[in-house]
Amino acid sequence: MNQELYEKLREMRLPIMAEEYKDQSENPSIQNMTFEERFKSMVIKEYDSRINHTVERYC
């Protein structure tokens, strides 16, 4: 895992993407996925987290 990239994602306030990047780096079965599939997974998880947080805040 590229620690600098992980830290930059956290600094940009993308904590879920950072954690997903870390998880993907540690999981050998993920290596079979294309870049687009891996990136899509990170973006969707970050997006879902933000939406869920917004909903929780207003409920």
Side-chain angles (χ1 to χ4, degrees):
M1 179 182 75
N2 183 331
Q3 188 66 28
E4 182 181 5
L5 178 57
Y6 176 80
E7 293 299 325
K8 288 189 183 292
L9 287 168
R10 299 213 33 98
E11 286 177 25
M12 293 184 337
R13 298 182 183 197
L14 298 168
I16 304 303
M17 280 185 84
E19 290 304 314
E20 181 65 11
Y21 171 69
K22 181 180 176 183
D23 292 346
Q24 286 184 6
S25 297
E26 296 170 352
N27 187 344
S29 67
I30 296 293
Q31 302 305 318
N32 296 331
M33 295 172 68
T34 65
F35 170 79
E36 187 173 336
E37 291 170 330
R38 293 175 68 181
F39 186 65
K40 179 180 177 182
S41 174
M42 289 192 289
V43 171
I44 288 172
K45 288 182 180 181
E46 183 71 39
Y47 177 83
D48 288 347
S49 174
R50 289 175 183 240
I51 294 298
N52 289 337
H53 180 72
T54 301
V55 170
E56 289 173 6
R57 190 173 57 216
Y58 290 110
C59 287

